[in-house]
Amino acid sequence: MQQALEAKLNEADPLTFTGADVAWLIAHVGDLDGHIRDDLTFTLIARGVLAGGFTAAQQRRVNDAIVASKQIFSGIDAPQNNAVFLRSFTALIGSCILQADAQRPFLTRTDRGLWFQWALEYLYRERDWRGYVAGHGFAHALAHGSDLLAAALAHPLFGSARQEVVLGTVRAVLDRIIQPLAEDEEERLANALKQGLQAHTLSQATLTHFLTATDQALWQGADSERAAGYRLSAWKRVLQTLYFLAPSLQQACLPLLRHYYRENGYLES
């Protein structure tokens, strides 16, 4: 089975899959072999969902299996463990499912609502932020959770009623940083905010206020511990990303970035 699926990686879209193919892919979402999980399983599921490879029934089957198992929260409250690979790649697949549903709705109202809820809950609850794990490849839960949130915020049915919850989730992530982020997670988190702004699920005024208030809060604790410096460094990268990806936020981001560079000796007062 694996050999036949490997061959599909070199085929042009749209691919075709048998029922057995789909069952194998569902079973290997959290495989501990990085190649099987990332290069093979995720790649083919993404192409199946987003590039027309799955039939409508197969697409629903993938979603139904993931939703029914609630595997995005598998082992999430336990000490650091290998279930993070299942959780993280389920979140990444969820981002594909929401992107596909945004283009051509296929989810039930209940399942769509669950994905919207999980986009907030998973990012808030996930504590295992390991990037590359020797022997297993990338876990990348913070990045994939941010991708799921970005897909939810970009969805035309997400709406603007949960802006405070969304921004509270992002703030909670920033507050939990205790060491430097090593795998460009800041850009993925910023992209979620950019997607929300672009889709009008986050308003310009609300997001601008969030940027200013968060910046002030992070600087207030700047000298309290070493981790505070890591949080400010990550925040700087979020601001930099928003400055370039969301031009309408440049006026809000620029003074905050200038303040960071002045405080760190790169600009004169």
Side-chain angles (χ1 to χ4, degrees):
M1 177 65 70
Q2 181 180 340
Q3 186 175 1
L5 289 170
E6 295 270 6
K8 291 184 183 294
L9 294 173
N10 298 317
E11 296 177 12
D13 292 319
L15 302 173
T16 58
F17 297 90
T18 66
D21 291 338
V22 175
W24 192 95
L25 292 171
I26 291 171
H28 289 80
V29 169
D31 198 291
L32 297 184
D33 183 310
H35 169 70
I36 292 175
R37 181 186 65 254
D38 200 337
D39 301 330
L40 182 59
T41 301
F42 170 71
T43 298
L44 291 180
I45 289 178
R47 290 174 66 183
V49 171
L50 295 174
F54 290 152
T55 65
Q58 289 172 338
Q59 189 158 276
R60 287 193 299 271
R61 181 182 178 186
V62 170
N63 175 75
D64 291 351
I66 290 173
V67 168
S69 68
K70 298 182 180 179
Q71 62 196 44
I72 193 171
F73 300 116
S74 176
I76 198 167
D77 296 320
Q80 191 176 86
N81 59 81
N82 286 335
V84 67
F85 297 102
L86 178 61
R87 297 194 302 270
S88 176
F89 278 81
T90 298
L92 190 58
I93 290 168
S95 72
C96 297
I97 288 171
L98 284 179
Q99 288 177 57
D101 185 68
Q103 296 169 6
R104 182 175 296 178
F106 73 96
L107 294 174
T108 66
R109 182 177 180 180
T110 297
D111 283 359
R112 185 180 298 114
L114 277 175
W115 278 116
F116 289 165
Q117 175 188 332
W118 290 352
L120 296 165
E121 187 178 349
Y122 174 67
L123 194 58
Y124 184 84
R125 291 179 60 189
E126 181 63 78
R127 295 296 192 273
D128 190 340
W129 288 358
R130 287 177 292 171
Y132 184 82
V133 180
H136 299 302
F138 279 97
H140 230 186
L142 179 52
H144 294 171
S146 298
D147 293 344
L148 177 57
L149 180 60
L153 290 172
H155 197 290
L157 296 179
F158 186 84
S160 59
R162 288 170 280 198
Q163 293 186 73
E164 295 304 321
V165 179
V166 170
L167 297 176
T169 299
V170 173
R171 175 63 189 276
V173 169
L174 293 167
D175 286 344
R176 289 207 305 270
I177 293 172
I178 59 173
Q179 61 188 29
L181 300 178
E183 306 292 348
D184 291 344
E185 292 92 343
E186 300 96 333
E187 284 82 353
R188 308 281 269 273
L189 194 61
N191 181 57
L193 298 177
K194 177 252 187 180
Q195 293 294 337
L197 180 65
Q198 186 171 290
H200 306 293
T201 48
L202 295 174
S203 73
Q204 176 94 15
T206 299
L207 190 47
T208 297
H209 178 266
F210 168 77
L211 296 177
T212 302
T214 300
D215 191 78
Q216 291 174 350
L218 292 176
W219 277 106
Q220 284 176 359
D223 298 324
S224 61
E225 56 178 339
R226 178 175 294 182
Y230 299 147
R231 286 190 284 273
L232 280 167
S233 179
W235 177 238
K236 175 254 298 178
R237 290 189 64 177
V238 170
L239 293 171
Q240 287 174 330
T241 304
L242 288 173
Y243 182 88
F244 286 104
L245 296 187
S248 66
L249 291 175
Q250 289 182 349
Q251 188 174 354
C253 292
L254 186 57
L256 306 182
L257 288 166
R258 287 187 179 278
H259 177 244
Y260 178 90
Y261 291 124
R262 279 198 303 271
E263 290 295 322
N264 285 276
Y266 298 111
L267 289 175
E268 296 182 1
S269 301

